[in-house]
């Protein structure tokens, strides 16, 4: 049930909008340069690919000797290649890509346990193991929940040449990119991914999820829609 709830929340954030071709556009009396926006959106989207896998997909690999129940130590060499070795540093990576609001959502649902009315409904996917657990000092390693029920199950390849501004509503820019989604059975489909982009005090940030799973009904829906238009 929790998996379905989180899936619906994430999919709801992938908002689609009507296509509007623009060269420059204005939002809340501010004028934005489309080229600058597309460059920023592309860079952030590329960074989000790794975070999508870590947070919502297969997750971090495990290695080392520390283990506690369903948790095992994260692979140190992989962490080094990703540019972080602690949960705090991972949170920093998240905030470099996503808005404050979306970062808080990801951190509170993936890097923290979920409780409803004081009852635990989901353990944290990752937690920091400290040498001094009482005072939370001297970080040892990141612990990974090896039985975590993640929601991003397929592979997405973005066509970065198709990144464009689809629409703008007040402070929110809707960015479109075409992607090829392949499921574990090898079935592929082309789909449009639309995500929100907002300019915060630290620069442009993504405000929604950027991943999508294979949907067997999507192609059928497009076929029916085309038939209705004829």
């Amino acid at each position: 049930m929790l998996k379905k709830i989180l899936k619906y929340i994430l999919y709801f954030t992938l908002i689609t909008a009507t296509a509007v071709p623009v060269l420059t556009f204005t939002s809340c009396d501010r004028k934005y340069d489309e080229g600058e926006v597309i460059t920023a959106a592309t860079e952030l989207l590329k960074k989000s690919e790794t975070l999508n896998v870590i947070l919502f997909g297969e997750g971090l690999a495990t290695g080392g000797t520390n283990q506690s129940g369903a948790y095992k130590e994260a692979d140190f060499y992989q962490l080094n290649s990703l540019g972080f070795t602690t949960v705090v540093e991972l949170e920093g990576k998240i905030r470099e890509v996503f808005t404050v609001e979306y970062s808080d959502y990801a951190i509170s649902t993936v890097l923290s346990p979920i409780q409803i009315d004081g009852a635990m409904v989901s353990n944290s996917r990752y937690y920091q193991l400290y040498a001094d657990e009482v005072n939370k000092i001297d970080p040892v390693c990141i612990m990974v929940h090896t039985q975590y029920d993640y929601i991003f199950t397929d592979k997405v390849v973005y066509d970065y040449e198709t990144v464009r501004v689809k629409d703008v509503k007040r402070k929110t820019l809707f960015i479109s990119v075409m992607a090829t989604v392949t499921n574990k059975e090898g079935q592929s489909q082309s789909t449009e991914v639309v995500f929100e982009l907002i300019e915060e005090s630290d620069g442009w940030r993504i405000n929604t999820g950027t991943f999508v799973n294979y949907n067997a009904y999507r192609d059928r829906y497009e076929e029916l829609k085309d038939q209705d238009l004829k």
Side-chain angles (χ1 to χ4, degrees), residues 20-34 37 165 167-173 204:
V20 179
V22 290
L23 293 177
T24 59
F25 46 93
T26 304
S27 174
C28 291
D29 299 323
R30 286 199 56 189
K31 193 173 184 180
Y32 298 103
D33 178 81
E34 186 177 34
V37 169
V165 178
D167 198 4
V168 55
K169 295 181 180 179
R170 297 180 64 82
K171 294 182 178 181
T172 302
L173 280 60
W204 293 103

Side-chain angles (χ1 to χ4, degrees), residues 48 66 112 170 187 198 222:
S48 77
N66 288 292
S112 306
R170 297 180 64 82
Q187 297 172 302
I198 294 177
E222 294 297 332

